[in-house]
Amino acid sequence: TYTVPSTSKNLQLQFTTRLSLPIFTGSKVEGEGTLSIALVDTLTREVVVMGKESLLKVEIVVLEGDFEDGEGNDWTAQEFNNNIVKERQGKRPLLSGDVFVGLERGIGTVGDVSFTDNSSWTRSRKFRLGARTEDGCYNGVRVREAKTESFVVKDHRGELYKKHHPPVLEDEVWRLEKIGKEGAFHKRLNKEKIVTVKDFLTLLHLDAPRLRKILGTGMSTKMWEVTIEHAKTTCILSDKVHIYYLESPSKTAVVFNAVGEVRGLISEKFVSVDDLTEKEKV
């Protein structure tokens, strides 16, 4: 690790990973990894982990997609600010959510940020994300802003990307709230062979911690709860059940529904899970 002396003139913000594409309005902007912003010394390429500058407050902004580096791979704070895109007249702010990021030991994780409008109306038809300090400086020292690669933002409208209320077991998993079609969560789930709502619910009932781990830290606790609540409204039209006999003299069996949720016990007769004692549930 490296501590930048206060006399350094080589501070720069950087996004730590590329964005996960495509990006749609209303869906959380994701990175290919955890989307974070780091303060680095451009001479050593090390993250600034000590000093007050490692605790900077950073603002995320939207830039014109054709904003390129100036001479010597640099730009002024004024040039950066001149390329910030504001919302169209009468529209909501272009970025919604946690647009301020607090750095700790030189790194801050981007929270739940989404676009409220597409990029088709701008001069390049593309956006970039940028990150800046309040005035482009820290204690009079220039802090060069960060910017991502350029990208298109598409409207998240129409049946093609619509969530289902309620979902059905055969729906693709991105029909659940907070899981964007072809977004980072969708890709992670598909990689683990979780393709349908049924797959999602089955793993939720059988191994919820593993499902949570697959979705990763990019999905906040609040987002997780919203997704789970939506999944639990699923219409389970199948009468199919799975019966698991316990190894005991009582010949007791546990009854699961089509997605691995416990529905009751069979001993001498079927007892619904709602009618079980606390001891029987254990």
Side-chain angles (χ1 to χ4, degrees):
T1 55
Y2 180 84
T3 308
V4 177
S6 59
T7 56
S8 173
K9 298 293 190 293
N10 300 290
L11 297 178
Q12 180 182 357
L13 295 168
Q14 287 184 348
F15 287 95
T16 58
T17 184
R18 294 177 66 86
L19 298 179
S20 178
L21 304 178
I23 295 174
F24 295 97
T25 57
S27 291
K28 182 183 177 183
V29 177
E30 299 274 359
E32 291 180 350
T34 300
L35 185 58
S36 301
I37 299 168
L39 179 68
V40 301
D41 180 334
T42 56
L43 293 181
T44 65
R45 314 310 301 172
E46 297 281 353
V47 176
V48 181
V49 298
M50 296 178 66
K52 290 184 178 178
E53 58 268 47
S54 70
L55 302 171
L56 281 174
K57 185 178 182 182
V58 175
E59 181 185 10
I60 302 171
V61 296
V62 182
L63 299 170
E64 289 282 2
D66 58 5
F67 174 41
E68 301 292 346
D69 297 352
E71 285 186 33
N73 200 33
D74 201 359
W75 56 80
T76 65
Q78 187 63 49
E79 287 170 333
F80 182 90
N81 292 338
N82 288 345
N83 279 276
I84 291 177
V85 183
K86 295 295 185 182
E87 65 273 12
R88 288 192 269 185
Q89 189 172 359
K91 294 269 190 177
R92 292 185 294 153
L94 196 48
L95 269 188
S96 170
D98 307 325
V99 296
F100 288 98
V101 177
L103 303 187
E104 290 187 21
R105 292 180 60 81
I107 295 181
T109 301
V110 178
D112 197 345
V113 174
S114 61
F115 284 90
T116 62
D117 200 357
N118 65 63
S119 58
S120 65
W121 52 278
T122 61
R123 67 190 184 211
S124 68
R125 299 185 177 275
K126 291 184 178 182
F127 290 140
R128 294 177 189 264
L129 279 185
R132 64 177 181 176
T133 58
E134 187 174 357
D135 56 3
C137 296
Y138 171 74
N139 280 354
V141 175
R142 172 88 171 108
V143 179
R144 188 169 173 239
E145 300 82 6
K147 62 184 177 67
T148 66
E149 69 278 14
S150 61
F151 53 86
V152 172
V153 175
K154 301 175 183 178
D155 272 323
H156 214 165
R157 292 186 190 140
E159 178 58 32
L160 194 58
Y161 300 101
K162 195 175 178 182
K163 304 301 180 185
H164 285 172
H165 294 275
V168 295
L169 293 180
E170 292 74 26
D171 275 342
E172 289 190 68
V173 72
W174 58 263
R175 296 286 186 183
L176 295 176
E177 292 289 349
K178 303 301 180 184
I179 300 175
K181 185 178 182 182
E182 298 174 8
F185 298 142
H186 187 199
K187 290 175 182 175
R188 286 178 197 150
L189 290 167
N190 277 359
K191 187 178 178 183
E192 299 294 329
K193 304 292 190 291
I194 302 166
V195 178
T196 64
V197 172
K198 181 181 178 181
D199 298 334
F200 184 95
L201 277 169
T202 301
L203 188 56
L204 175 66
H205 292 306
L206 299 182
D207 194 349
R210 178 168 173 248
L211 179 60
R212 186 71 183 90
K213 188 175 180 181
I214 289 169
L215 289 165
T217 55
M219 176 171 273
S220 67
T221 301
K222 186 176 180 181
M223 292 170 71
W224 163 257
E225 289 170 354
V226 169
T227 304
I228 296 309
E229 284 306 308
H230 187 207
K232 286 181 176 178
T233 67
T234 299
C235 289
I236 301 176
L237 300 176
S238 172
D239 293 328
K240 182 178 179 181
V241 295
H242 303 278
I243 299 175
Y244 175 73
Y245 283 92
L246 305 175
E247 292 183 9
S248 70
S250 64
K251 295 183 179 178
T252 301
V254 183
V255 180
F256 301 89
N257 67 8
V259 293
E261 183 181 15
V262 176
R263 301 311 302 150
L265 286 180
I266 297 176
S267 187
E268 293 177 356
K269 62 178 182 177
F270 175 75
V271 182
S272 168
V273 68
D274 298 326
D275 298 325
L276 294 176
T277 65
E278 289 303 314
K279 184 178 179 182
E280 286 173 320
K281 287 180 181 179
V282 173

